Amino acid sequence: MHGPVASGLQSLSAAHLAGAEPPDEDAFVCGDPRAKQPALELADVLVGGRAVDAGPLENSRALEAMTAVILNVNREYGITAGLRLTGFP
């Protein structure tokens, strides 16, 4: 038996989170619904975008992979990019 687990916020840059204003990006959280809800509430406060329910914990692998892509793009272009979904309410 295990307790409720959530994963998220991987795509958020620490530099963006330390800024005076919340970053204009979305925060993704996946996991057990009981653990996800408080994590989504926290994420909603941390970003200027949206807190997005990214589904079950298994999707954490995809979030980690997206983070690796962001880190490579940031290194290549000398920026600190983040994620924002388009076409999402």
Side-chain angles (χ1 to χ4, degrees):
M1 182 170 209
H2 71 281
V5 177
S7 171
L9 312 179
Q10 293 97 324
S11 65
L12 299 175
S13 161
H16 287 176
L17 289 173
E21 297 293 321
D24 184 27
E25 48 193 278
D26 294 335
F28 302 90
V29 177
C30 57
D32 180 275
R34 295 173 293 159
K36 253 192 304 196
Q37 193 52 45
L40 286 165
E41 290 170 11
L42 172 63
D44 195 44
V45 173
L46 293 176
V47 297
R50 295 149 303 201
V52 179
D53 183 337
L57 187 60
E58 291 80 15
N59 290 348
S60 184
R61 287 181 185 231
L63 290 176
E64 291 291 342
M66 288 172 35
T67 301
V69 171
I70 294 168
L71 290 171
N72 284 316
V73 168
N74 288 345
R75 185 176 28 245
E76 179 69 27
Y77 291 93
I79 59 174
T80 53
L83 294 175
R84 185 82 187 237
L85 293 178
T86 61
F88 189 77

